Amino acid sequence: MTTRREFVKTVTQLSFLSTLGLSAHSVALAKSETEGAEEARNDFATPEQFILWTNPQPLLRSLHSYFPGVCELDNGELLASHFLCSAFESVDGTARLSRSRDKGQTWELLPPIYDKSRLTPPRSDTMKPTNAGGGNILLFGYEFFREDPELPMGNPETGGVLDDRIILARSADHGSTWTQPEEVPCRWGHHVEASAPLTCLANGDWATPIAPFPDWSGARVNDGGRLLRSSDRGTTWNDDAVTIAFGPDVAVYEQRLCQLEKSGRLVVIAWNENLKTGERMNNHYVISDDNGKTFSKPQDTGVRGQASSVCALDNDRLLALHAKRRDTDRPGIYGYVVNLKNNRWDIEKEGLLWEPDTPITRSRHAAEIFAFLKFGQPSAVRLADGSILVTFWCVDRQGQGMTNVLRLNV
């Protein structure tokens, strides 16, 4: 049984770098991807798959790509962010942007977002893009302070993490140039997880779910997730509304938000595990009927996944994505078309969208809790033509971290 400290160490030591996208996977070491595997229902046509970014010269330099996010620009081009680093916890890790002019088939890596060479102390940052309309693009995320380059992100003794802060950069020219990132305040100060992008709500507010992190000593405030929002385009912020909360022992990580098209209700989904008992829980969701002022009690999706996300479709339907790495013989990215018109999580369509092309076996060079981390953090955006663009990261059979794109119709 996983202890509270062991689980906190798992998610916090990977806090920034995986943005809590995955947990350890428990498939048998020698099992192939098909031998003895469960038959997965699949209501989706096979999606098109493209590479967002992978190292073009891995023998020349170590460089990996993780944790992507994407938005569609006003002119139909796609802008993606992803985390480039020489190693999983290297100080040089930073958000970079890539642009696609052919609906995600090919991508061009853009110059660095801003000059970090004179920052004191050095920072490791990750951000996700949002199209706010009229050529205005927002990059929202968080950065960790790296005063000591020999320290990892997470404290292996306490399960705490380095100090970090929420940041926001802005572009008024479709992502060509950017402001220096500004700090966004929250109730937890410099101990916060902000891995989701901003969502532009129908009333013009900007909103995103956030959660508390423990400090380096391991001290933590676990009062559930919060909805961080601004009603004045980022001049002031408020995080009074509680999103998902079970009590002090249950983690509320990797929250994601969408607004339903017909009713305007807000839906937040999260990865939940009991820190005290080690119990793995299904992904849970909450609904707000008052534009995010209050949320329902957590409700069960029926899906035992880790990192998950929601993307609004037509009417009151959404696409839920789940990275399933435990309690399954078929690890992979799963999709569910869900209809919420009756205030129930009614699944209309489901399927395995992607799975590793090699068996997921334990790495001899990684600690047990990290030994099966090979893919995760799926997210989706609905394009103007109605198709869905899914992004996620994985590690290929040569150990190269890369980001990927799936395009599908639902």
Side-chain angles (χ1 to χ4, degrees):
M1 177 179 294
T2 304
T3 66
R4 175 188 179 99
R5 172 171 288 190
E6 287 170 342
F7 179 74
V8 172
K9 284 167 66 177
T10 301
V11 295
T12 56
Q13 197 166 19
L14 284 175
S15 57
F16 167 71
L17 298 162
S18 66
T19 48
L20 303 167
L22 306 167
S23 66
H25 179 34
S26 59
V27 295
L29 298 182
K31 183 177 287 185
S32 73
E33 63 179 311
T34 56
E35 182 183 2
E38 63 194 38
E39 287 296 325
R41 171 183 168 186
N42 201 337
D43 301 324
F44 297 100
T46 302
E48 298 177 276
Q49 182 170 343
F50 310 106
I51 294 174
L52 197 167
W53 196 90
T54 191
N55 191 344
Q57 298 206 53
L59 298 181
L60 181 62
R61 63 180 64 89
S62 175
L63 200 58
H64 304 268
S65 176
Y66 303 103
F67 327 128
V70 66
C71 70
E72 186 175 26
L73 303 182
D74 296 342
N75 63 2
E77 295 180 358
L78 301 176
L79 187 69
S81 64
H82 46 115
F83 179 72
L84 287 189
C85 57
S86 58
F88 234 55
E89 300 208 28
S90 58
V91 178
D92 65 358
T94 190
R96 291 290 297 271
L97 295 173
S98 291
R99 187 183 298 263
S100 174
R101 295 177 172 84
D102 53 14
K103 300 299 182 182
Q105 296 184 56
T106 61
W107 296 85
E108 172 193 1
L109 182 65
L110 302 179
I113 300 167
Y114 67 104
D115 183 10
K116 298 174 61 177
S117 62
R118 297 185 180 181
L119 289 181
T120 304
R123 322 280 170 82
S124 298
D125 58 58
T126 181
M127 296 183 278
K128 300 286 197 306
T130 299
N131 184 356
N136 296 292
I137 312 299
L138 309 174
L139 273 178
F140 180 88
Y142 57 144
E143 63 181 4
F144 277 75
F145 300 109
R146 310 301 297 270
E147 286 97 341
D148 186 345
E150 298 303 314
L151 283 181
M153 295 289 184
N155 186 336
E157 300 300 322
T158 68
V161 296
L162 296 173
D163 286 1
D164 71 298
R165 66 172 188 164
I166 302 176
I167 54 174
L168 171 65
R170 309 169 189 243
S171 172
D173 54 12
H174 306 277
S176 296
T177 60
W178 295 91
T179 62
Q180 287 284 120
E182 61 200 71
E183 181 169 0
V184 175
C186 74
R187 67 180 52 236
W188 302 303
H190 287 176
H191 306 290
V192 58
E193 183 227 342
S195 61
L198 286 171
T199 296
C200 295
L201 303 182
N203 71 342
D205 286 3
W206 300 347
T208 189
I210 59 175
F213 267 163
D215 65 20
W216 187 253
S217 71
R220 60 186 295 115
V221 177
N222 192 8
D223 56 356
R226 297 275 175 161
L227 187 72
L228 180 68
R229 72 188 303 152
S230 175
S231 299
D232 52 15
R233 301 182 67 81
T235 301
T236 60
W237 297 86
N238 177 283
D239 60 4
D240 289 342
V242 176
T243 53
I244 302 179
F246 290 90
D249 296 328
V250 177
V252 182
Y253 288 129
E254 279 291 329
Q255 297 176 98
R256 293 295 185 268
L257 164 73
C258 76
Q259 183 169 34
L260 299 179
E261 182 180 271
K262 183 177 181 179
S263 66
R265 290 180 294 172
L266 305 187
V267 181
V268 175
I269 195 170
W271 165 29
N272 310 116
E273 294 197 29
N274 190 304
L275 303 178
K276 185 176 182 179
T277 67
E279 176 192 0
R280 294 187 295 274
M281 300 170 59
N282 292 346
N283 295 117
H284 282 68
Y285 70 98
V286 292
I287 295 176
S288 173
D289 292 308
D290 55 13
N291 206 40
K293 295 178 181 178
T294 61
F295 286 84
S296 67
K297 292 181 179 180
Q299 302 176 64
D300 193 343
T301 66
V303 178
R304 185 68 57 86
Q306 286 75 57
S308 57
S309 65
V310 285
C311 173
L313 302 176
D314 59 329
N315 298 312
D316 275 357
R317 302 193 309 155
L318 59 80
L319 173 67
L321 298 173
H322 303 258
K324 295 177 66 172
R325 301 184 53 82
R326 307 185 71 169
D327 305 309
T328 177
D329 291 330
R330 297 286 296 275
I333 306 297
Y334 286 74
Y336 299 81
V337 174
V338 177
N339 196 326
L340 284 164
K341 69 177 181 179
N342 295 319
N343 291 317
R344 296 193 308 265
W345 193 262
D346 291 333
I347 296 174
E348 296 183 343
K349 183 184 293 188
E350 65 182 86
L352 176 59
L353 301 179
W354 175 91
E355 62 183 328
D357 60 0
T358 58
I360 296 182
T361 57
R362 187 191 186 284
S363 169
R364 295 182 294 107
H365 304 290
E368 184 65 28
I369 58 175
F370 308 129
F372 297 96
L373 297 172
K374 304 296 183 182
F375 67 90
Q377 206 182 85
S379 63
V381 61
R382 186 182 179 198
L383 304 183
D385 63 6
S387 63
I388 303 295
L389 202 76
V390 175
T391 56
F392 65 97
W393 70 270
C394 71
V395 177
D396 69 14
R397 65 184 66 192
Q398 284 79 39
Q400 175 64 49
M402 59 188 296
T403 40
N404 301 274
V405 172
L406 302 177
R407 193 167 63 199
L408 65 150
N409 292 295
V410 298

